[in-house]
Amino acid sequence: MPLLVLKSPRLMWVRLAALVFTCVAFSMASIGGATGSMANWSIFCWAFSFAGTLLILVVQLMGLHSRTPVSWIEFPITFAYYGLLFCLSASIIFPLYFLKGQTVHSEVRDHRIASTVFSCLATVAYYIEVSLTRAPMEEFPRYMETVPGMMKVCETFVGSVILLFVSDPISYDSHPALEWCMAVYCICLVISAFIMLMCVIGCTECLRCKRYFFAFTLLEVAMYLTATIIWPIFKFNSRYSGSSSRPTDCQYSQGLCLWDKLVAVAVLTALNFLIYLADMAHFARLVFVKDFRF
């Protein structure tokens, strides 16, 4: 708690800035008439970040830390990670879909530009919050302040983006192997979210069951390895009605065409596999080095 008191003045101003930036971002996007699944994703990113930051500020200003059902040391840093990743993704996806190729000056375009700018500012604000919230090196960090905690956030975030791309449009129903990939994304996302939930609600003693979590992570690595191999085989091999080259009509599409999304899913799957692999190495260290602590 003393750590929270010392950092709260700077954190309060950073969170206020993030609150304003995210509010302006989704307001301008709504006024700019952006519609569709990618617009909904971007607005969700900003609205989610706004609502969470507002909640943290209210609890902080009213001194309700002890009455919250979550660990107040774990929750803010976890949310700051998500705010950073969500706003970063929206800062990339929104202009890619709603500003790319628009050269004619208009009020709608100005609103979308403003939304993108404030999204970038919100990303910077959350990055500063992460830097301020993480414990100094001389202090003993909580799990979500460590690199493994950050990896858990990245695993769930990348998994969510993958689900977004494979669901718009649905691109996993053409073969049972692709349905298995979809099952991999969902199952691993649920497991990682469960582990994070245990941390956020303060059940860190559950994480002392190192061998169980090592087994879960090993399972996730094995499952993601299969998806990393299967997805490109069934989506880019002509034997399975796939295409290894980008269609010519993709250059006329707004944002990412279907082929681009399939490539993005393949890349993100490989990325998440590497993150899970690093996470497994961490839990292996916990299992085989008995005196290592979180």
Side-chain angles (χ1 to χ4, degrees), residues 140-143 146-149 151 207-210 279-294:
F140 186 72
R142 296 300 182 102
Y143 179 72
T146 62
V147 173
M151 286 191 293
L207 293 175
R208 301 301 176 182
C209 304
K210 306 179 186 72
D279 199 11
M280 185 191 68
H282 162 70
F283 277 110
R285 184 182 180 188
L286 294 181
V287 171
F288 297 110
V289 182
K290 295 181 179 180
D291 60 344
F292 184 83
R293 299 183 302 169
F294 282 108

Side-chain angles (χ1 to χ4, degrees), residues 55-130:
L55 175 63
I56 292 174
L57 279 172
V58 170
V59 172
Q60 180 183 10
L61 294 175
M62 298 185 67
L64 302 176
H65 316 97
S66 60
R67 300 182 182 181
T68 56
V70 299
S71 170
W72 195 250
I73 297 180
E74 301 280 14
F75 178 73
I77 181 64
T78 304
F79 187 84
Y81 287 143
Y82 276 115
L84 172 61
L85 293 173
F86 275 131
C87 290
L88 178 61
S89 67
S91 300
I92 298 173
I93 291 177
F94 188 80
L96 183 64
Y97 274 83
F98 301 103
L99 284 177
K100 179 184 175 182
Q102 291 190 7
T103 57
V104 180
H105 177 78
S106 65
E107 186 177 352
V108 170
R109 180 171 174 267
D110 292 342
H111 287 148
R112 295 178 178 179
I113 291 175
S115 185
T116 303
V117 170
F118 279 97
S119 180
C120 294
L121 292 175
T123 303
V124 174
Y126 282 114
Y127 175 78
I128 296 174
E129 182 180 348
V130 168

